[in-house]
Amino acid sequence: DTCQNFHCKRGKVCHADKQGNPHCICQDPAACPPTKDYEHVCGTDNKTYDGTCQLFGTKCQLEGTKMGRQLHLDYMGSCKYIPPCTDYEVDQFPLRMRDWLKNILIQYYERDLNTSGILTEKQRNKVKKMYQNNKRLVAGDHPAELLLHDFEKNYHMYVYPVHWQFHQLDQHPGDRLLTHSELAPLRASLVPLEHCITRFFQECDGDRDKLIALKEWCHCFGIKE
């Protein structure tokens, strides 16, 4: 089977021609495997797709058209009304996001106490200091004033989580610039919970080049170094 180790990008599947040579062709959206309701996704055309297979198969079939260029994964879950983000809300967003990133790393560290594998040794050493700091906030919902006070008091604890998340996203390629597709995994999972994330990322792109540099990313989160 010449297609066995032949990889195609999302939305395409391998097909062998009469000579047995592998080629990538568009996935037929109707041939995608059935999905559960919780696997549904919303496209930027505000249409609910049964899953990412159906979405990217549809995008592939529209390749070369304006509609195809504009169609992306918007967020996980069925399409719903996403309220507009107010100026006040977008100002408060970095407070919650910084706290969330810090707590994710602490949870990873706690899991690694029993079974290693999520964090590297270098990452564990950095997070250990955060974990041992008794002044850290307990995970949960906190008023903005408390989050801001903790950020100012324990500033050093928030620097690494912000840098860590940037480098987790900066993979294809790792060039210290975040593209729309690199941001998509984080953004798509958070839109239903944090309706300000789209505007936040748009405003992070200070020079409007559709790329978020590390300096722009840190500036958005209030990190000075």
Side-chain angles (χ1 to χ4, degrees), residues 56-103:
F56 288 106
T58 302
K59 178 177 174 64
C60 181
Q61 291 187 334
L62 294 169
E63 210 167 59
T65 67
K66 183 180 179 182
M67 195 177 295
R69 288 191 297 273
Q70 292 177 341
L71 180 58
H72 300 285
L73 169 64
D74 198 8
Y75 54 88
M76 309 304 288
S78 299
C79 294
K80 63 178 185 178
Y81 171 70
I82 304 292
C85 178
T86 65
D87 292 344
Y88 174 78
E89 287 174 323
V90 81
D91 286 343
Q92 302 301 309
F93 182 81
L95 301 176
R96 296 193 306 278
M97 192 71 175
R98 283 190 307 244
D99 191 48
W100 182 68
L101 294 176
K102 176 169 68 78
N103 285 324

Side-chain angles (χ1 to χ4, degrees), residues 162-171 176 178 214 217:
V162 171
H163 283 195
W164 169 80
Q165 180 65 84
F166 182 92
H167 292 293
Q168 287 292 107
L169 296 169
D170 182 28
Q171 300 288 335
R176 297 170 75 87
L178 296 183
L214 178 59
W217 175 269

Side-chain angles (χ1 to χ4, degrees), residues 193-206:
L193 306 170
E194 289 283 2
H195 67 282
C196 281
I197 194 164
T198 300
R199 180 176 167 186
F200 175 72
F201 284 153
Q202 288 172 345
E203 295 187 4
C204 275
D205 182 17

Side-chain angles (χ1 to χ4, degrees), residues 9 118 143 169:
K9 70 176 186 178
I118 301 176
L169 296 169

Side-chain angles (χ1 to χ4, degrees), residues 5-35:
N5 297 311
F6 193 81
H7 296 286
C8 298
K9 70 176 186 178
R10 295 184 86 171
K12 296 193 175 187
V13 290
C14 182
H15 174 73
D17 61 21
K18 291 178 180 179
Q19 287 74 40
N21 298 317
H23 298 280
C24 291
I25 62 170
C26 286
Q27 165 75 52
D28 178 6
C32 288
T35 58

Side-chain angles (χ1 to χ4, degrees), residues 71-137:
L71 180 58
H72 300 285
L73 169 64
D74 198 8
Y75 54 88
M76 309 304 288
S78 299
C79 294
K80 63 178 185 178
Y81 171 70
I82 304 292
C85 178
T86 65
D87 292 344
Y88 174 78
E89 287 174 323
V90 81
D91 286 343
Q92 302 301 309
F93 182 81
L95 301 176
R96 296 193 306 278
M97 192 71 175
R98 283 190 307 244
D99 191 48
W100 182 68
L101 294 176
K102 176 169 68 78
N103 285 324
I104 282 179
L105 279 174
I106 288 171
Q107 286 173 19
Y108 282 170
Y109 181 85
E110 288 173 335
R111 285 188 215 168
D112 276 5
L113 291 176
N114 300 320
T115 54
S116 61
I118 301 176
L119 300 175
T120 64
E121 186 176 351
K122 186 177 179 181
Q123 290 172 333
R124 282 171 54 78
N125 290 334
K126 286 182 176 290
V127 181
K128 185 177 181 180
K129 297 171 185 175
M130 292 158 47
Y131 180 77
Q132 292 175 335
N133 190 325
N134 294 326
K135 296 174 183 175
R136 70 178 177 86
L137 295 178

